[in-house]
Amino acid sequence: MTCVCVDVMGADKEPAVLLEGVSAALAADSELEVLVAGDASVVEPFAREHDRARALVTTEVISMSEHPAQAVRHKKDASIVRAASAVRAGEADALFSAGSTGAVLTAATFGIGRLKGIKRPALALAFPGISGRSTVFLDMGANADVRPDVLVQFAQMGRAYARAVLGVAEPRVGLLCNGSEDTKGSEMALAYHAALAEGDCGFAGNAEGTDLLAGTFDVIVADGFTGNVALKSVEGAGKFVLSRLKAAMGESLKNKVGMALLAGSLKSMAAELSGDEYGGAILLGLRAPVLKGHGATSARAVERGTLFAASVVRAGLVERVADLCDVSA
C-alpha cells in the first residue's frame, strides 16, 4: 500500500470538497491509503466511513492571509505542520495540500526535510505542449533569487521528473530567457547560461516564453521570480481566451451551439493549464513528494493530486532526483 497524507484544511474550499476528492481517489486506487489531516469533526467521520483512511486530528489551521513562516513556527498543531511531520515520521509516503503556498513550502521544507545535498527545493509543473509533448517548468515561485549552481540542480531535478513521470529517456533542458541566442539576457541570465552549459544537465540552450507551451524542450528552468511571473502570465492568457469565448457564445445561437460542442475540450484545456491534470505543482528536492494544489481547488483536482502523489512514490521520483543530482536520498 502507498499512503498519502492529505491536508483538508486551509484551502479556499470547504473541507467537504477536498474529502470528496479523497474519496474518489480511494475508489480509483485499491492500493492507496490516505491519512487525512484536519479537525476532528471533519476527519474522524470520514475515516470511519472509509476502510483505507486514517484520521490525523489537528486543532489549528493556517489561513491564506497569515505570514507563512511565522504561522508554521507558532502553530505547531496546524494541519499542514502535522501532516509534514507525519510524512517525516514514516506514517505516510507523500503529502497533498491546497493550503497557503508559503505555509506548505515552509512546513514541508522544514518538516519533511531536503535531500542531503539539495540546496533549494523547487516547484514544478508539466505544461501541455502544442507539439503533443509536455514541458516540465520550474521553479514556479519557491525561490525568488537563486545562484547559478542552484539552477543547475533545478535542471537536474526537472530531468528526473521528465524521466519518471513523462517517460522521456534523455530530457532536453532550456533556460527561460528573452531570446534564443546564447548572448541574450541579463547578467544573471548569462551566468545561469554558463553554469548550465558546464553542468551535466542536458542543457540545450535558451528558451523563450513561447516555448513554454510549444513542447520544444522537455524541461525549462528559471529562478522563482521569473518562473512565477511566467506562470501567472500563462494562466492569465488562458482566462482571457476562455472569457472571450464565453462572451462570444451569447452573441448568436450559432455561437452558442458551437461552444456547447467544444465545452468538453475547453474544460480539458483549462485543467491542463491550471495543473489540475496532476492536481497541482510538485515540490522537488525533498525527502518525500509534496503536491501543492490550488487554494480554490476542485474535488477532481484533489483526486488527481492524491493519485499523482501515490504514482510518483511508486515511480521512485525522490530516488531519481537524488541520483541525477548526485546527492543522498
Side-chain angles (χ1 to χ4, degrees):
M1 290 282 186
T2 303
C3 183
V4 177
C5 185
V6 180
D7 167 25
V8 298
M9 313 298 289
D12 293 332
K13 298 290 186 179
E14 292 296 317
V17 175
L18 283 82
L19 290 175
E20 181 183 344
V22 174
S23 181
L26 287 168
D29 187 343
S30 62
E31 295 300 313
L32 173 69
E33 290 182 344
V34 176
L35 180 64
V36 190
D39 188 81
S41 64
V42 172
V43 300
E44 288 185 335
F46 184 84
R48 286 195 295 268
E49 294 167 5
H50 296 79
D51 293 337
R52 287 175 280 117
R54 292 179 288 123
L56 176 61
V57 176
T58 64
T59 60
E60 295 178 297
V61 178
I62 296 177
S63 69
M64 296 288 184
S65 61
E66 293 183 80
H67 187 282
Q70 292 179 4
V72 168
R73 186 163 55 249
H74 295 297
K75 290 188 171 182
K76 301 298 184 183
D77 205 43
S79 55
I80 183 59
V81 176
R82 292 282 307 284
S85 296
V87 173
R88 185 177 190 124
E91 297 176 47
D93 304 302
L95 170 62
F96 175 88
S97 177
S100 157
T101 299
V104 173
L105 296 182
T106 303
T109 301
F110 292 102
I112 296 174
R114 291 173 291 172
L115 289 168
K116 187 176 181 180
I118 291 294
K119 298 177 178 67
R120 299 278 188 91
L123 271 173
L125 182 68
F127 278 148
I130 296 172
S131 68
R133 298 176 62 181
S134 295
T135 298
V136 180
F137 181 49
L138 70 164
D139 176 28
M140 299 192 310
N143 310 275
D145 299 293
V146 295
R147 300 191 311 269
D149 60 317
V150 174
L151 209 73
V152 173
Q153 279 198 340
F154 287 177
Q156 293 164 335
M157 292 194 292
R159 294 191 85 209
Y161 183 107
R163 285 179 175 177
V165 177
L166 304 180
V168 182
E170 291 298 331
R172 299 173 65 253
V173 175
L175 168 66
L176 187 60
C177 196
N178 64 329
S180 59
E181 299 88 351
D182 293 353
T183 55
K184 282 291 184 72
S186 63
E187 289 185 11
M188 183 55 75
L190 292 172
Y192 287 156
H193 188 284
L196 289 165
E198 293 174 3
D200 182 18
C201 60
F203 184 54
N206 286 346
E208 296 183 278
T210 52
D211 289 311
L212 287 172
L213 299 176
T216 49
F217 291 89
D218 302 300
V219 179
I220 293 178
V221 294
D223 60 72
F225 177 85
T226 305
N228 193 260
V229 171
L231 171 68
K232 298 297 173 57
S233 298
V234 170
E235 290 179 342
K239 289 178 182 177
F240 174 80
V241 171
L242 289 175
S243 68
R244 284 302 176 91
L245 288 173
K246 286 180 181 178
M249 182 176 67
E251 293 176 359
S252 69
L253 178 60
K254 183 179 179 180
N255 286 0
K256 188 173 292 186
V257 172
M259 283 291 291
L261 294 173
L262 290 172
S265 297
L266 291 173
K267 286 182 180 180
S268 177
M269 179 187 72
E272 283 186 294
L273 288 176
S274 69
D276 282 358
E277 180 67 21
Y278 297 105
I282 187 167
L283 189 60
L284 300 174
L286 300 183
R287 294 182 179 275
V290 174
L291 267 289
K292 169 63 183 77
H294 284 285
T297 192
S298 64
R300 173 63 174 169
V302 175
E303 176 192 359
R304 296 300 302 168
T306 305
L307 292 172
F308 183 64
S311 72
V312 296
V313 170
R314 294 164 185 159
L317 178 58
V318 170
E319 292 77 15
R320 290 185 183 225
V321 167
D323 182 56
L324 268 187
C325 294
D326 194 25
V327 298
S328 302

